[in-house]
Amino acid sequence: MTIENMTKVIYDAIDDKLGEDIAILNIGKVSSLCDYFVIATGSSQRQVKAIADNVEDELTKLGIEPKSKEGHGTQTWVLLDYGDVMVHIFNEENRGFYNLEKLWKDAPYVDVDTLA
């Protein structure tokens, strides 16, 4: 599976749980940290958890496990690190506060339809 395919699976898993404002940033263009950030918002702590769980479940079905994960306890910002792709799922307050899109403003946005 390519990194682009994996990113599309992540996008679809977030969309299936009604994640909002899903953004894909091509971090690889500006940093060696990873290739993509996928950033999304859940409207409640319960939804943040449901989105994160669905991403994990869908990738586990494909034999892909996160290298690490953070934030399941607070459910206000869950980070799933898949090496080449990092998934950030925020509640509304923390999405605005941390504003990763502004922090990584030099990273181009990726249209999900251009992913394999």
Side-chain angles (χ1 to χ4, degrees):
M1 171 172 284
T2 68
I3 297 164
E4 288 75 18
N5 289 102
M6 184 170 72
T7 304
K8 175 75 166 97
V9 169
I10 292 167
Y11 180 95
D12 290 342
I14 294 169
D15 192 48
D16 286 346
K17 291 298 178 183
L18 305 177
E20 300 171 0
D21 299 324
I22 306 169
I24 302 169
L25 300 179
N26 189 337
I27 298 299
K29 295 280 187 186
V30 296
S31 172
S32 61
L33 180 66
C34 66
D35 288 325
Y36 296 105
F37 272 6
V38 181
I39 306 167
T41 304
S43 60
S44 67
Q45 289 179 325
R46 180 177 288 161
Q47 188 183 24
V48 168
K49 181 182 183 324
I51 293 167
D53 289 347
N54 199 46
V55 169
E56 282 191 80
D57 291 346
E58 292 302 314
L59 289 177
T60 295
K61 289 177 191 176
L62 300 172
I64 302 169
E65 297 296 330
K67 296 182 183 313
S68 67
K69 52 187 173 179
E70 301 289 334
H72 271 277
T74 63
Q75 300 170 8
T76 57
W77 176 7
V78 176
L79 169 63
L80 302 172
D81 180 356
Y82 287 97
D84 295 320
V85 181
M86 291 192 180
V87 183
H88 301 268
I89 305 160
F90 290 97
N91 67 3
E92 292 173 5
E93 179 181 349
N94 281 299
R95 174 89 180 252
F97 180 79
Y98 289 103
N99 199 356
L100 292 183
E101 291 96 325
K102 184 176 180 185
L103 182 66
W104 291 95
K105 67 181 182 231
D106 294 334
Y109 282 84
V110 176
D111 184 346
V112 69
D113 295 329
T114 64
L115 298 173

